[in-house]
Amino acid sequence: MKLYTYFRSSAAYRVRIALNLKQLPYDAVAVHLLRDGGQQKQANYKQKSPLGIVPALETEHAVLTQSLAIIEWLDETYPQVALLPDDADGRARVRAIAQTIACDIHPLNNLRVLAYLTKNIGITEEQKNDWYRHWVNEGLAAVEQLLANDPRTGIFCHGDTPGLADCCLIPQVFNARRFQCPLDDLPVISRIVAACESLPAFQLAAPAQQFDAE
């Protein structure tokens, strides 16, 4: 498999964690989101990912896009080290946590949205950072409640083995730290993050460990 990735992309980070948890080998291909006007916008890459986003996972038969779809494909194709629970209620809960992060928090704060806010609408850097922190703080507070108020939360987001929700949570917290979002009022998230970051699968997926890190 070939993963088109960018070291600091939250979505690519999710997939790197999932691949590592399943101990699946892959070749990483860097797609620099800032260099050359954004390599993800180039025609040869947009043939793989029409929206011009990372990650994309090239398999023997197809090119897959969208991180959650890729992770679920990995889970169905390589069921060892399952990333979703066996029961329907558990799967719905894990997907809800993952989608709160990937569909509600992240889209408001990804690179192309932030670039549009500054270049097209003309907000200042300070206003951009305020925008970022607002949506991260609101979203992570909701995730904290989802985790704190459910007995199915264990060492990780769901039970005592890491899964899809953890694959999404860690990259979002990485970005929260990067933009100096406060995490003091998120004790359950902080505990889960510490547990995840102690595992090699998460450590090796971290942005600083990538071959294209800057």
Side-chain angles (χ1 to χ4, degrees), residues 15-24 26 200-202 204-205:
V15 175
R16 294 196 302 262
I17 295 169
L19 286 162
N20 290 348
L21 286 170
K22 290 182 172 289
Q23 298 184 3
L24 294 172
Y26 66 93
F202 289 85
L204 294 172

Side-chain angles (χ1 to χ4, degrees), residues 25-203:
Y26 66 93
D27 295 323
V29 179
V31 180
H32 202 291
L33 302 188
L34 299 173
R35 191 175 297 154
D36 305 322
Q39 293 174 352
Q40 75 278 14
K41 300 175 185 176
Q42 295 175 356
N44 61 339
Y45 183 71
K46 292 192 78 171
Q47 289 179 349
K48 297 177 174 62
S49 176
L51 194 55
I53 58 175
V54 295
L57 184 69
E58 189 172 339
T59 74
E60 185 179 353
H61 304 292
V63 177
L64 310 176
T65 60
Q66 295 294 339
S67 62
L68 296 189
I70 292 170
I71 294 172
E72 293 223 23
W73 178 87
L74 289 170
D75 215 38
E76 293 170 5
T77 307
Y78 303 95
Q80 66 274 21
V81 191
L83 300 178
L84 284 163
D86 291 334
D87 62 299
D89 288 351
R91 289 194 297 274
R93 175 179 185 257
V94 168
R95 288 179 176 127
I97 297 168
Q99 290 175 25
T100 299
I101 296 166
C103 303
D104 291 327
I105 303 175
H106 179 236
L108 290 165
N109 290 322
N110 70 14
L111 181 62
R112 60 197 182 116
V113 170
L114 298 179
Y116 189 89
L117 288 171
T118 53
K119 294 177 182 177
N120 296 73
I121 296 179
I123 70 171
T124 66
E125 189 72 12
E126 182 179 359
Q127 288 173 320
K128 181 195 78 173
N129 291 337
D130 286 343
W131 164 280
Y132 190 103
R133 294 186 189 108
H134 171 79
W135 296 114
V136 169
N137 292 341
E138 183 176 279
L140 287 182
V143 173
E144 177 75 13
Q145 290 304 305
L146 289 171
L147 295 169
N149 296 333
D150 196 311
R152 291 170 291 182
T153 301
I155 296 173
F156 301 100
C157 288
H158 190 85
D160 293 337
T161 55
L164 172 64
D166 306 282
C167 292
C168 293
L169 179 62
I170 299 310
Q172 188 58 67
V173 170
F174 168 82
N175 281 333
R177 290 167 173 164
R178 185 169 160 241
F179 279 83
Q180 300 178 327
C181 299
L183 301 174
D184 295 343
D185 293 334
L186 307 173
V188 181
I189 286 177
S190 297
R191 175 181 60 74
I192 291 170
V193 168
C196 289
E197 290 181 337
S198 72
L199 300 179
F202 289 85
Q203 295 167 359

